[in-house]
mmCIF file of all heavy atoms in Angstrom:
data_model
loop_
_atom_site.group_PDB
_atom_site.id
_atom_site.type_symbol
_atom_site.label_atom_id
_atom_site.label_comp_id
_atom_site.label_asym_id
_atom_site.label_seq_id
_atom_site.Cartn_x
_atom_site.Cartn_y
_atom_site.Cartn_z
ATOM 1 N N LEU A 451 20.930 30.480 -39.023
ATOM 2 C CA LEU A 451 21.120 30.820 -40.429
ATOM 3 C C LEU A 451 22.557 31.267 -40.640
ATOM 4 O O LEU A 451 23.178 31.840 -39.747
ATOM 5 C CB LEU A 451 20.154 31.934 -40.853
ATOM 6 C CG LEU A 451 18.671 31.594 -40.776
ATOM 7 C CD1 LEU A 451 17.838 32.805 -41.171
ATOM 8 C CD2 LEU A 451 18.347 30.418 -41.673
ATOM 9 N N PHE A 452 23.096 31.074 -41.838
ATOM 10 C CA PHE A 452 24.497 31.367 -42.138
ATOM 11 C C PHE A 452 24.890 32.779 -41.709
ATOM 12 O O PHE A 452 25.844 32.976 -40.966
ATOM 13 C CB PHE A 452 24.782 31.156 -43.630
ATOM 14 C CG PHE A 452 26.136 31.615 -44.051
ATOM 15 C CD1 PHE A 452 27.278 30.931 -43.628
ATOM 16 C CD2 PHE A 452 26.295 32.724 -44.852
ATOM 17 C CE1 PHE A 452 28.534 31.353 -44.003
ATOM 18 C CE2 PHE A 452 27.547 33.155 -45.236
ATOM 19 C CZ PHE A 452 28.674 32.462 -44.812
ATOM 20 N N ALA A 453 24.174 33.780 -42.165
ATOM 21 C CA ALA A 453 24.512 35.164 -41.819
ATOM 22 C C ALA A 453 23.506 35.777 -40.844
ATOM 23 O O ALA A 453 23.554 36.952 -40.547
ATOM 24 C CB ALA A 453 24.592 36.012 -43.091
ATOM 25 N N GLY A 454 22.591 34.962 -40.349
ATOM 26 C CA GLY A 454 21.629 35.446 -39.364
ATOM 27 C C GLY A 454 20.350 35.952 -39.995
ATOM 28 O O GLY A 454 20.171 35.953 -41.208
ATOM 29 N N GLY A 455 19.476 36.385 -39.144
ATOM 30 C CA GLY A 455 18.194 36.921 -39.568
ATOM 31 C C GLY A 455 17.369 37.228 -38.341
ATOM 32 O O GLY A 455 17.848 37.119 -37.209
ATOM 33 N N LYS A 456 16.131 37.649 -38.553
ATOM 34 C CA LYS A 456 15.267 37.913 -37.408
ATOM 35 C C LYS A 456 13.819 37.606 -37.747
ATOM 36 O O LYS A 456 13.403 37.668 -38.908
ATOM 37 C CB LYS A 456 15.427 39.345 -36.914
ATOM 38 C CG LYS A 456 15.021 40.407 -37.889
ATOM 39 C CD LYS A 456 15.290 41.795 -37.313
ATOM 40 C CE LYS A 456 15.053 42.862 -38.376
ATOM 41 N NZ LYS A 456 15.324 44.190 -37.872
ATOM 42 N N LEU A 457 13.103 37.236 -36.722
ATOM 43 C CA LEU A 457 11.668 37.001 -36.789
ATOM 44 C C LEU A 457 11.034 37.984 -35.815
ATOM 45 O O LEU A 457 11.401 38.020 -34.645
ATOM 46 C CB LEU A 457 11.326 35.566 -36.385
ATOM 47 C CG LEU A 457 9.858 35.232 -36.109
ATOM 48 C CD1 LEU A 457 8.992 35.455 -37.336
ATOM 49 C CD2 LEU A 457 9.719 33.804 -35.611
ATOM 50 N N ILE A 458 10.129 38.812 -36.320
ATOM 51 C CA ILE A 458 9.415 39.758 -35.470
ATOM 52 C C ILE A 458 7.953 39.324 -35.435
ATOM 53 O O ILE A 458 7.337 39.087 -36.478
ATOM 54 C CB ILE A 458 9.557 41.197 -35.986
ATOM 55 C CG1 ILE A 458 11.025 41.609 -35.922
ATOM 56 C CG2 ILE A 458 8.681 42.156 -35.188
ATOM 57 C CD1 ILE A 458 11.327 42.972 -36.486
ATOM 58 N N ILE A 459 7.418 39.207 -34.217
ATOM 59 C CA ILE A 459 6.048 38.733 -34.017
ATOM 60 C C ILE A 459 5.273 39.792 -33.245
ATOM 61 O O ILE A 459 5.724 40.255 -32.204
ATOM 62 C CB ILE A 459 6.028 37.425 -33.201
ATOM 63 C CG1 ILE A 459 6.960 36.390 -33.817
ATOM 64 C CG2 ILE A 459 4.606 36.896 -33.064
ATOM 65 C CD1 ILE A 459 7.384 35.310 -32.845
ATOM 66 N N ASN A 460 4.113 40.154 -33.760
ATOM 67 C CA ASN A 460 3.201 41.025 -33.029
ATOM 68 C C ASN A 460 2.022 40.150 -32.607
ATOM 69 O O ASN A 460 1.161 39.828 -33.430
ATOM 70 C CB ASN A 460 2.739 42.195 -33.906
ATOM 71 C CG ASN A 460 1.883 43.172 -33.140
ATOM 72 O OD1 ASN A 460 1.184 42.814 -32.203
ATOM 73 N ND2 ASN A 460 1.931 44.427 -33.537
ATOM 74 N N PHE A 461 2.011 39.743 -31.329
ATOM 75 C CA PHE A 461 0.951 38.862 -30.848
ATOM 76 C C PHE A 461 -0.398 39.581 -30.763
ATOM 77 O O PHE A 461 -1.434 38.940 -30.741
ATOM 78 C CB PHE A 461 1.322 38.266 -29.484
ATOM 79 C CG PHE A 461 2.358 37.185 -29.573
ATOM 80 C CD1 PHE A 461 3.669 37.430 -29.206
ATOM 81 C CD2 PHE A 461 2.032 35.924 -30.035
ATOM 82 C CE1 PHE A 461 4.633 36.437 -29.290
ATOM 83 C CE2 PHE A 461 2.983 34.920 -30.131
ATOM 84 C CZ PHE A 461 4.287 35.180 -29.750
ATOM 85 N N MET A 462 -0.382 40.918 -30.747
ATOM 86 C CA MET A 462 -1.637 41.682 -30.667
ATOM 87 C C MET A 462 -2.375 41.643 -32.009
ATOM 88 O O MET A 462 -3.584 41.432 -32.043
ATOM 89 C CB MET A 462 -1.365 43.140 -30.291
ATOM 90 C CG MET A 462 -0.468 43.292 -29.084
ATOM 91 S SD MET A 462 -1.216 42.637 -27.613
ATOM 92 C CE MET A 462 -0.638 43.799 -26.422
ATOM 93 N N THR A 463 -1.642 41.853 -33.106
ATOM 94 C CA THR A 463 -2.271 41.888 -34.439
ATOM 95 C C THR A 463 -2.110 40.576 -35.195
ATOM 96 O O THR A 463 -2.656 40.421 -36.282
ATOM 97 C CB THR A 463 -1.649 43.006 -35.291
ATOM 98 O OG1 THR A 463 -0.256 42.722 -35.497
ATOM 99 C CG2 THR A 463 -1.820 44.358 -34.633
ATOM 100 N N LYS A 464 -1.307 39.643 -34.632
ATOM 101 C CA LYS A 464 -1.013 38.340 -35.236
ATOM 102 C C LYS A 464 -0.207 38.457 -36.531
ATOM 103 O O LYS A 464 -0.259 37.588 -37.385
ATOM 104 C CB LYS A 464 -2.283 37.524 -35.453
ATOM 105 C CG LYS A 464 -2.972 37.190 -34.139
ATOM 106 C CD LYS A 464 -4.051 36.180 -34.300
ATOM 107 C CE LYS A 464 -4.606 35.852 -32.933
ATOM 108 N NZ LYS A 464 -5.487 34.747 -32.926
ATOM 109 N N GLU A 465 0.554 39.532 -36.674
ATOM 110 C CA GLU A 465 1.422 39.716 -37.834
ATOM 111 C C GLU A 465 2.826 39.223 -37.511
ATOM 112 O O GLU A 465 3.292 39.340 -36.373
ATOM 113 C CB GLU A 465 1.489 41.189 -38.229
ATOM 114 C CG GLU A 465 0.167 41.746 -38.687
ATOM 115 C CD GLU A 465 0.217 43.238 -38.938
ATOM 116 O OE1 GLU A 465 0.753 43.968 -38.079
ATOM 117 O OE2 GLU A 465 -0.258 43.659 -39.998
ATOM 118 N N VAL A 466 3.504 38.666 -38.530
ATOM 119 C CA VAL A 466 4.885 38.235 -38.390
ATOM 120 C C VAL A 466 5.694 38.790 -39.557
ATOM 121 O O VAL A 466 5.156 39.071 -40.625
ATOM 122 C CB VAL A 466 5.031 36.693 -38.339
ATOM 123 C CG1 VAL A 466 4.329 36.116 -37.131
ATOM 124 C CG2 VAL A 466 4.539 36.047 -39.610
ATOM 125 N N LYS A 467 6.995 38.937 -39.321
ATOM 126 C CA LYS A 467 7.902 39.375 -40.376
ATOM 127 C C LYS A 467 9.215 38.616 -40.201
ATOM 128 O O LYS A 467 9.764 38.560 -39.114
ATOM 129 C CB LYS A 467 8.142 40.876 -40.298
ATOM 130 C CG LYS A 467 9.083 41.364 -41.368
ATOM 131 C CD LYS A 467 9.225 42.868 -41.358
ATOM 132 C CE LYS A 467 10.282 43.209 -42.368
ATOM 133 N NZ LYS A 467 9.955 44.318 -43.188
ATOM 134 N N VAL A 468 9.701 38.026 -41.297
ATOM 135 C CA VAL A 468 10.972 37.307 -41.296
ATOM 136 C C VAL A 468 11.931 38.054 -42.204
ATOM 137 O O VAL A 468 11.607 38.363 -43.349
ATOM 138 C CB VAL A 468 10.805 35.854 -41.811
ATOM 139 C CG1 VAL A 468 12.151 35.163 -41.936
ATOM 140 C CG2 VAL A 468 9.885 35.064 -40.894
ATOM 141 N N THR A 469 13.120 38.355 -41.678
ATOM 142 C CA THR A 469 14.187 38.976 -42.465
ATOM 143 C C THR A 469 15.389 38.045 -42.425
ATOM 144 O O THR A 469 15.807 37.630 -41.340
ATOM 145 C CB THR A 469 14.573 40.360 -41.900
ATOM 146 O OG1 THR A 469 13.399 41.178 -41.867
ATOM 147 C CG2 THR A 469 15.632 41.027 -42.748
ATOM 148 N N ILE A 470 15.932 37.716 -43.594
ATOM 149 C CA ILE A 470 17.087 36.814 -43.697
ATOM 150 C C ILE A 470 18.242 37.583 -44.324
ATOM 151 O O ILE A 470 18.069 38.212 -45.370
ATOM 152 C CB ILE A 470 16.741 35.576 -44.542
ATOM 153 C CG1 ILE A 470 15.568 34.831 -43.902
ATOM 154 C CG2 ILE A 470 17.950 34.654 -44.682
ATOM 155 C CD1 ILE A 470 14.976 33.739 -44.764
ATOM 156 N N TYR A 471 19.389 37.528 -43.649
ATOM 157 C CA TYR A 471 20.569 38.239 -44.135
ATOM 158 C C TYR A 471 21.466 37.320 -44.942
ATOM 159 O O TYR A 471 21.575 36.129 -44.656
ATOM 160 C CB TYR A 471 21.370 38.818 -42.969
ATOM 161 C CG TYR A 471 20.592 39.794 -42.138
ATOM 162 C CD1 TYR A 471 20.247 39.492 -40.825
ATOM 163 C CD2 TYR A 471 20.157 41.005 -42.666
ATOM 164 C CE1 TYR A 471 19.521 40.385 -40.053
ATOM 165 C CE2 TYR A 471 19.429 41.902 -41.903
ATOM 166 C CZ TYR A 471 19.120 41.585 -40.596
ATOM 167 O OH TYR A 471 18.391 42.458 -39.842
ATOM 168 N N GLY A 472 22.155 37.896 -45.923
ATOM 169 C CA GLY A 472 23.156 37.182 -46.694
ATOM 170 C C GLY A 472 24.542 37.546 -46.191
ATOM 171 O O GLY A 472 24.700 38.317 -45.238
ATOM 172 N N SER A 473 25.555 37.000 -46.819
ATOM 173 C CA SER A 473 26.935 37.300 -46.455
ATOM 174 C C SER A 473 27.176 38.804 -46.601
ATOM 175 O O SER A 473 26.801 39.409 -47.600
ATOM 176 C CB SER A 473 27.878 36.517 -47.373
ATOM 177 O OG SER A 473 29.205 36.744 -47.009
ATOM 178 N N GLY A 474 27.790 39.417 -45.609
ATOM 179 C CA GLY A 474 28.000 40.861 -45.629
ATOM 180 C C GLY A 474 26.795 41.637 -45.149
ATOM 181 O O GLY A 474 26.772 42.853 -45.185
ATOM 182 N N ARG A 475 25.747 40.940 -44.718
ATOM 183 C CA ARG A 475 24.524 41.464 -44.120
ATOM 184 C C ARG A 475 23.518 42.134 -45.063
ATOM 185 O O ARG A 475 22.625 42.829 -44.599
ATOM 186 C CB ARG A 475 24.846 42.424 -42.968
ATOM 187 C CG ARG A 475 25.697 41.853 -41.865
ATOM 188 C CD ARG A 475 25.022 40.843 -41.046
ATOM 189 N NE ARG A 475 24.083 41.477 -40.126
ATOM 190 C CZ ARG A 475 23.342 40.816 -39.291
ATOM 191 N NH1 ARG A 475 23.403 39.518 -39.241
ATOM 192 N NH2 ARG A 475 22.513 41.420 -38.508
ATOM 193 N N PRO A 476 23.599 41.960 -46.403
ATOM 194 C CA PRO A 476 22.472 42.478 -47.196
ATOM 195 C C PRO A 476 21.255 41.581 -46.967
ATOM 196 O O PRO A 476 21.403 40.395 -46.669
ATOM 197 C CB PRO A 476 22.956 42.358 -48.635
ATOM 198 C CG PRO A 476 23.933 41.237 -48.608
ATOM 199 C CD PRO A 476 24.589 41.304 -47.244
ATOM 200 N N ILE A 477 20.096 42.138 -47.092
ATOM 201 C CA ILE A 477 18.868 41.361 -46.907
ATOM 202 C C ILE A 477 18.606 40.539 -48.167
ATOM 203 O O ILE A 477 18.536 41.077 -49.266
ATOM 204 C CB ILE A 477 17.670 42.293 -46.618
ATOM 205 C CG1 ILE A 477 17.885 42.992 -45.280
ATOM 206 C CG2 ILE A 477 16.361 41.506 -46.618
ATOM 207 C CD1 ILE A 477 16.841 44.039 -44.950
#
Side-chain angles (χ1 to χ4, degrees):
L451 297 178
F452 172 69
K456 63 183 172 181
L457 167 61
I458 296 176
I459 308 159
N460 185 330
F461 285 104
M462 310 296 216
T463 63
K464 297 191 176 190
E465 296 174 313
V466 297
K467 180 175 174 137
V468 174
T469 303
I470 301 170
Y471 300 113
S473 182
R475 303 290 284 179
I477 295 174

